[in-house]
């Protein structure tokens, strides 16, 4: 792994670097506290640092304090170098946030072993972060279409509603429901139905602006949140989506399928909440279905 040696003493630095390189690590070197702190602020900073206690400018203890003041889920593992027997230094360093210490002159075997402990800790932390991120992704995304699930898209709606109540830049929400989707399943089977859902999702996504949000709120129902739109803008946006779906044949494992979509749109009004927006859009969707499908209806 990449290890930073922060040590002003040339002999000690060279010895540390030689041992660590021999153990297969990639070694970087700094010679004072300020340079060390600068290195550690880089996004790709090394995750394991061997830090001398006494250095010109900012000392090791100060560097430890600076590093630990930064809130991050991937903090570096810090091994402090102290003169043998400086108990008070060791305690101060550990209290400030060092993970471990090594007394100078160091023992080669001990150095290797302590660095190995650090490497294991860093790897374990990375694995935990990765697992956490994967769980968070799973909790907010629909497994079939890979877009936001109901919970995630509704939370975006909540955020956009509170922004709209302050800024009044215009906000619209549209529920897009595939017409007669059950027929696709009945005719071609569920797998083809799934293909169509994925293709439909891609069609909507490519028809939206970067700052619009799309999520799956039910089987073949999707919610589009479009900020920064006035009435005409919202109508145009959803009408464009409707036409794109109607005019784009979808190729599936059973051949080409054409679908249409009905969309119920609420242009957000003063005092709207998640519930009123969704109920109004749903009501408009119902009218779009009743009116013959393949159409956009605005909430009354
Ligand atoms: P309408 O035009 O009134 O919306 O008719 P519809 O057939 O689209 O609506 P309906 O609510 O009757 O049927 C929706 C169908 O969507 C029923 C259900 O089996 C299917 N469905 C829901 N989730 C999935 C899914 O993940 N994959 C597949 N293949 N089908 C799904
Ligand atoms: Mg020194
Ligand atoms: Mg439907
Ligand atoms: Mg439906």
């Amino acid at each position: 792994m990449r290890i930073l040696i922060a040590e002003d003493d040339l002999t000690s630095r060279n010895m540390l670097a030689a041992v660590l390189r021999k153990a297969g690590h990639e070694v970087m070197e700094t010679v004072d506290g300020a340079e060390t702190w600068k290195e550690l602020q880089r996004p790709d900073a090394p995750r394991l640092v061997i830090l001398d206690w006494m250095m010109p400018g900012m000392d090791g203890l100060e560097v430890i304090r600076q590093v630990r003041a930064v809130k991050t889920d991937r903090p570096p593992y810090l091994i402090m170098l102290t003169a043998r027997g400086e108990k008070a230094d060791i305690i101060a360093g550990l209290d400030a946030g060092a993970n471990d210490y090594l007394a100078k002159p160091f023992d080669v075997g001990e150095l290797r072993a302590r660095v190995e402990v650090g490497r294991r800790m860093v790897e374990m932390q990375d694995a935990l972060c990765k697992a956490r991120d994967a769980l968070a992704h799973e909790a907010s995304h629909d497994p079939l279409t890979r877009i936001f699930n109901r919970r995630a898209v509704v939370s975006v709606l909540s955020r956009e509603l509170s922004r709209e109540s302050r800024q009044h830049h215009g906000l619209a929400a549209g529920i897009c429901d595939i017409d007669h989707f059950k027929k696709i399943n009945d005719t071609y089977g569920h797998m083809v139905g799934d293909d169509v859902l994925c293709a439909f999702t891609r069609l909507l996504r490519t028809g939206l602006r970067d700052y619009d949000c799309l999520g799956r709120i039910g089987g073949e129902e999707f919610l589009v949140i479009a900020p920064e739109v006035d009435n005409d803008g919202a109508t145009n946006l959803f009408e464009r989506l409707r036409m794109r779906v109607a005019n784009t044949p979808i190729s599936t494992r059973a051949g080409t399928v054409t679908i249409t979509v009905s969309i119920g749109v609420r242009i957000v009004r003063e005092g709207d909440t998640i519930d009123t927006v969704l109920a109004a859009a749903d009501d408009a969707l119902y009218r779009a279905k009743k009116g013959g499908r393949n159409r956009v209806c605005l909430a009354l």
Side-chain angles (χ1 to χ4, degrees), residues 10 18 36 69 87 92 126 156 264 271 281 289 296:
L10 179 66
T36 305
K87 269 270 183 286
D126 285 353
V156 171
K289 294 281 185 189
V296 177

Side-chain angles (χ1 to χ4, degrees), residues 177-178 220-221 285 289:
D177 185 300
I178 302 175
E220 27 71 89
E221 281 180 37
L285 172 64
K289 294 281 185 189

